[in-house]
């Protein structure tokens, strides 16, 4: 063989083949892709319409029980990531259905999960021995490695969106899961205990956090909504975010979970946000009003209540409150970007 230091003097194809047999590869063939000039998500901006999806979720209720399924969920699969159970390059989201009398059995896993409630009354989640009742618009947390089961004491279907950091935990190969010995946990504390202890602007003196997740595990919509409306009577809407509040871990002021950040915004009727992009990818759920989402390279789409929109990282978008005051929930992987010094935003 020729001496490799004599540049361009050897047959490159044969050389690469020889490298390949040794589990070696030339960086210069892939460098620009490995270290891109800017982020290139596989995910595309995409909307799921509630009126289209809901009947199929109810059909899943006829196809399988919550107990057999363990979690009866239709995964929201981004068209750019089919077959991977991902709504964006870093996030998982699904729509979960529970019917009266059913139990989604207790388990725990290292993935962090949030529930954003969309429909129904009487559903509940139990986390670490405490139940919380679900109402539309509530944000409920199941911190990593905590036992949780879901149930339903009321009538009619209960539906919520699950948001998890499954792709992130999968990439890090840090996924663990256990099934609980009992289908449902027994309550060890009364409902409302965590709210009294951590969610009333008060903290127990000497509290030592046992987790990176907020100990407030239900952030009720009634309070979030009231806060936004009160602010909207006084404050100017931010040009990029409108009236926007993030959910906070009262123990440390951080986002509610180490990997997932959540916020709720109000856009007054007719308000248009200025064009924005950031490195984190996000999932939006419209709560009230109607909004027109315009994402880079796409025609505007109309979002109606309970519609869901996936926004890949570093994609430009703007949002217009096209009918009524618009209330919009979102979650994203921003806390991870911030902790790693990778968060960037670009405000036009
Ligand atoms: O409710 O625990 O959508 O473990 C995916 C995985 C929901 C849950 C999902 C889960 C759950």
């Amino acid at each position: 063989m020729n001496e490799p230091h004599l540049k361009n003097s050897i047959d490159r194809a044969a050389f690469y083949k020889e490298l390949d047999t040794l589990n070696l590869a030339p960086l210069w063939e892939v460098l620009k892709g490995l270290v891109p000039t800017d982020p290139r998500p596989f995910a595309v901006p995409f909307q799921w319409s509630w009126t289209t999806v809901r009947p199929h979720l109810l059909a899943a209720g006829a196809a399988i029980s919550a107990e057999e399924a363990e979690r009866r969920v239709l995964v929201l699969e981004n068209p750019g990531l089919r077959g991977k159970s991902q709504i964006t390059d870093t996030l998982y989201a699904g729509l979960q259905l529970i019917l009266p009398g059913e139990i989604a059995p207790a388990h725990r896993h290292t993935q962090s999960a949030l529930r954003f409630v969309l429909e129904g009354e009487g559903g509940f989640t139990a986390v670490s021995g405490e139940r919380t009742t679900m109402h539309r618009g509530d944000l409920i947390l199941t911190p990593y490695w905590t036992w949780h089961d879901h149930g339903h004491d009321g009538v009619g279907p209960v539906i919520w969106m699950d948001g998890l950091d499954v792709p992130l935990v999968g990439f890090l190969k840090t996924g663990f899961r256990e099934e609980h010995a009992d289908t449902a946990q027994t309550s060890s504390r009364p409902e409302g205990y965590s709210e009294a202890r951590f969610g009333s602007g008060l903290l127990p003196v000497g509290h030592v956090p046992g987790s990176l997740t907020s100990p407030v595990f239900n952030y009720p919509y009634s309070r979030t909504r009231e806060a936004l409306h009160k602010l909207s009577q006084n404050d100017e809407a931010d040009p990029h975010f409108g009236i926007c509040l993030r959910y906070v871990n009262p123990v440390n002021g951080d986002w509610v979970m180490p990997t997932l950040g959540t916020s709720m915004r109000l856009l007054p009727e007719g308000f248009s946000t200025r064009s924005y992009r950031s490195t984190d990818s996000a999932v939006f759920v419209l709560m009230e009003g109607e909004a027109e989402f315009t994402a880079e390279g796409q025609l505007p789409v109309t979002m109606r209540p309970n519609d869901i929109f996936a926004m890949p990282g570093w994609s430009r978008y703007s949002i217009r409150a096209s009918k009524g005051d618009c209330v919009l929930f979102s979650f994203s992987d921003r806390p991870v970007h911030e902790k790693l010094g990778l968060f960037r935003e670009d405000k036009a």
Side-chain angles (χ1 to χ4, degrees):
M1 191 197 132
N2 294 322
E3 288 301 312
H5 62 265
L6 299 173
K7 67 172 185 262
N8 293 328
S9 69
I10 63 170
D11 175 353
R12 278 198 191 163
F15 176 50
Y16 291 177
K17 242 180 148 174
E18 190 180 323
L19 290 176
D20 188 61
T21 65
L22 299 167
N23 296 295
L24 295 169
L27 171 64
W28 57 89
E29 293 290 336
V30 294
L31 179 61
K32 298 277 190 316
L34 284 183
V35 188
T37 53
D38 50 9
R40 309 275 160 83
F42 290 114
V44 296
F46 192 76
Q47 177 196 31
W48 286 265
S49 141
W50 174 247
T51 54
T52 306
V53 173
R54 186 178 178 277
H56 297 283
L57 192 56
L58 295 178
I64 192 165
S65 72
E67 195 154 350
E68 188 190 348
E70 188 161 333
R71 297 294 184 265
R72 191 203 283 117
V73 174
L74 295 184
V75 178
L76 299 163
E77 286 205 331
N78 192 285
L81 291 158
R82 290 310 309 275
K84 295 184 171 3
S85 303
Q86 290 177 218
I87 189 163
T88 69
D89 292 77
T90 52
L91 302 172
Y92 163 99
L95 290 171
Q96 184 158 173
L97 167 70
I98 193 151
L99 293 169
E102 287 190 323
I103 294 171
H107 70 188
R108 63 176 174 178
H109 39 70
T110 48
Q111 291 83 2
S112 293
L114 61 83
R115 330 279 163 197
F116 189 71
V117 183
L118 299 178
E119 177 182 323
E121 292 294 326
F124 64 86
T125 285
V127 178
S128 305
E130 183 181 334
R131 261 191 194 194
T132 191
T133 301
M134 299 173 150
H135 305 282
R136 182 166 183 268
D138 290 357
L139 171 67
I140 294 169
L141 310 179
T142 50
Y144 59 92
W145 209 238
T146 54
W147 296 112
H148 55 282
D149 52 83
H150 316 298
H152 187 354
D153 288 338
V155 291
V158 165
I159 299 172
W160 64 83
M161 180 184 70
D162 291 314
L164 285 87
D165 56 6
V166 165
L168 284 166
V169 172
F171 179 72
L172 297 172
K173 293 285 175 281
T174 50
F176 294 90
R177 190 193 78 250
E178 283 179 2
E179 325 292 335
H180 200 281
D182 305 317
T183 308
Q185 304 172 66
T186 47
S187 290
S188 54
R189 293 184 299 282
E191 179 156 359
Y193 175 86
S194 291
E195 187 183 7
R197 200 152 185 248
F198 302 107
S200 313
L202 301 162
L203 287 177
V205 171
H207 173 69
V208 180
S211 164
L212 297 173
T213 303
S214 168
V216 180
F217 77 113
N218 189 344
Y219 292 76
Y221 185 53
S222 55
R223 288 167 70 177
T224 310
R225 187 180 191 282
E226 190 187 336
L228 287 170
H229 279 278
K230 184 66 78 180
L231 295 182
S232 74
Q233 289 161 18
N234 184 70
D235 294 358
E236 283 292 313
D238 176 272
H240 296 90
F241 306 121
I243 309 281
C244 188
L245 297 172
R246 70 181 178 89
Y247 294 81
V248 67
N249 177 344
V251 175
N252 58 16
D254 204 346
W255 300 96
V256 291
M257 293 197 286
T259 51
L260 301 174
T262 50
S263 58
M264 190 81 89
R265 75 191 71 190
L266 185 152
L267 306 178
E269 177 159 28
F271 184 83
S272 275
T273 67
R274 296 187 63 170
S275 169
Y276 177 79
R277 63 177 171 174
S278 54
T279 49
D280 57 326
S281 60
V283 176
F284 291 90
V285 185
L286 191 89
M287 279 303 289
E288 295 181 39
E290 279 184 18
E292 192 179 79
F293 273 53
T294 308
E296 195 173 2
Q298 289 202 344
L299 294 171
V301 298
T302 301
M303 291 277 288
R304 298 190 170 83
N306 286 5
D307 286 358
I308 296 174
F309 199 95
M311 194 68 76
W314 215 236
S315 303
R316 288 196 161 282
Y317 64 92
S318 65
I319 305 171
R320 185 170 70 89
S322 45
K323 194 167 156 192
D325 290 346
C326 165
V327 182
L328 192 59
F329 172 79
S330 65
F331 78 95
S332 92
D333 57 336
R334 178 167 169 168
V336 180
H337 295 226
E338 289 183 352
K339 286 184 186 91
L340 301 180
L342 296 170
F343 180 71
R344 281 199 200 193
E345 57 188 349
D346 177 8
K347 295 177 176 177

